[in-house]
Amino acid sequence: MTRLRSAALVGNPNAGKSALFNALTGARQKIANYPGVTVERKSGRLILPSGEPVELTDLPGSYGLHPTSPDEEVTAKVILGQFPGESAPEVLVIVLDASNLEQHLVFAQEVIALGRPTVVALNMVDLAERDGLVLDPKALQEALGVPVVPTVAVRRRGLDELAAAIAVAEVRAAIDPADHHQPHTNLTERRLTAHAVAEAAIISETRRHRMHAKLDRVLLHPWIGPVILFALLFVVFQAVFAGATPFADALDGGVGWLHDGVKGAMAPSLARDLLTDGIIAGVGSVVVFLPQIVILFFFILAMEASGYMARAAFLMDRMMAGVGLSGRSFIPLLSSFACAIPGIMATRSITDPRDRLTTILIAPMMTCSARLPVYAVIIAAFIPNRSVALGIGLQGLVLLALYVAGIVGAMVVALILRRSITKGAASGFIMELPKYQMPRLKDLAIGLFQRAWIFLRRAGTIIFTVTVVLWLLLNFPRAADGRDQIDASIAGHIANGLAVVVEPIGFNRDMSLALIPAMAAREVAVSSLATTYAVGAADDDESNRALGAQLARRWTLPMALAFLAWFVFAPQCMSTIAVTRRETNGWKWPLFMLGYLFALAYVAAGVTFWAATAAGL
Ligand SMILES: Nc1nc2c(ncn2[C@@H]2O[C@H](COP(=O)(O)OP(=O)(O)OP(=O)(O)O)[C@@H](O)[C@H]2O)c(=O)[nH]1
Ligand SMILES: [Mg+2]
């Protein structure tokens, strides 16, 4: 019987380890063009040319075996076999960025010096060629004393050769198992060697960086840069509304058609109502926002893949320093625009613990994609679809304002925290800028498909479940004839109780009813409202079934704005609290987070409501 052998991918951040891992194992780990994407180890199965399986582990990028941040610690522990119950990987596969050889050779030497079976993947040779670098893998192999295989992870070039080299390295491991020397060079020596080795491996080098240098001069310019960044974000939010409308309308029509079809086909019964008013109205009201999600992520993924996101981090560094954070916090905060959970996990690449804690605490204020359906449904119902000037849509503008409100809120809180609870000097910014790349359509398509799938899976699982439970709580006990079903129901009683608390900030019963199930996931606020109004609507009320129409009829503009303000801040997400507990090792910080965010949400909603009312809106 063959036993499962093991290998691990190690190297500097952004070398293409995860891209190689995906290509070799068929996994779908997140890859993106900035350092610090992977923060946890992840294993998969690689089949060698002989048919033998190898357990391959993808690791967070690292600059050395002496970790300076939690993600680097994972890498060091795996390489050195320090995780309890796990032995060190038999083969170390060092992934080098060929276009950035000198820098990547510093850590590589440290790994090679461990004396373990080692293979080098000289990755990104395509980018090196593009930049006018011709390399000599043989010379590199000779200098390093381990096999070197040129690869292009994203084009699947060199994969067989790499697998073959891993297989051979294993055989050598079996012959000579106890060859352990410790690294006996210091950092300065390794830097000098790296320079010499890289120089020897470079056959020719023509300077073709000029175009990119020019691009950086514009995009990183102290004031042109931020203007471009802001203009870009502006375009994104306009596109989210303008581009999605036809698709969203079509989906909405589909959901309506399904609702009416089922209603027509089944005899009146509670089961029919559960299907139509509960599941189809509730889950359907969230699913229709798929086009918005896809458009938003199209831009995010394109900016990530091109290398622009890392420039955005660089631009924001000064602003972040102003509130006591470093540009390092930018990437985790940026990830939080998809979802705070990966965002909070991405803080593992932050060296300074207080910096890291602050970033975790403010991450939930970044507008995650779960808020998009809530924002979009309210905006579509209350903000007129007209242009303010030059074809700039008012709806997109309001959406952008909500995102900005979250960011400004987070910066203010960071400023306060850094002067009180997480006091300390801001640490420096050391992120290296990745190379510009043209995003590949196939990668974008896969990334979008993954995001769409995550969104639909949430709709099919958590939102579905909460909607069914809510429908049950809304329908029982049954109201006496002629009485309001919602007021009589269990959910209605709970909501009436909570309404006392949220009345001062302008919320009515239906709004407070939406808040409790929305703790499970923010989108549930939308499905709850849809289900509540479907249950509450009299049967002859068909024409007004659309959620937007119901909202416009039942809420005033100040109420709607207050509801939006609430969702900018409210920590309506159990999973975020759970992940905060895990990442901070205890209940103290997640409880603090819950407390301060609810307080902020309450104040923001109240101020919005009363200001809007006073302004006569
Ligand atoms: N042109 C080209 N791009 C590559 C190659 N390998 C990876 N990339 C791109 O380089 C970027 C970084 O790749 P990742 O696989 O995320 O890098 P990583 O080493 O896992 O990075 P961390 O997880 O941050 O340590 C992504 O945008 C990839 O698409 C390659 O061989 N050629
Ligand atoms: Mg990675």
Side-chain angles (χ1 to χ4, degrees), residues 495-496 498-509 512 602 609-610:
N496 282 330
L498 185 65
V500 179
V501 183
V502 290
E503 228 162 63
I505 58 170
F507 286 16
N508 63 14
R509 180 202 62 188
S512 61
Y602 196 85
F609 178 75
W610 290 109

Side-chain angles (χ1 to χ4, degrees), residues 12-19 21 29-32 34 36-40 58-61:
N12 285 32
N14 213 39
K17 296 175 296 300
S18 301
F21 178 77
Q29 278 282 88
K30 169 149 176 115
I31 62 170
Y34 54 76
V37 178
T38 311
V39 292
E40 236 178 5
D58 182 25
L59 292 174

Side-chain angles (χ1 to χ4, degrees), residues 161-173:
E161 292 83 348
L162 185 62
I166 292 173
V168 180
E170 287 198 301
V171 172
R172 197 168 47 199

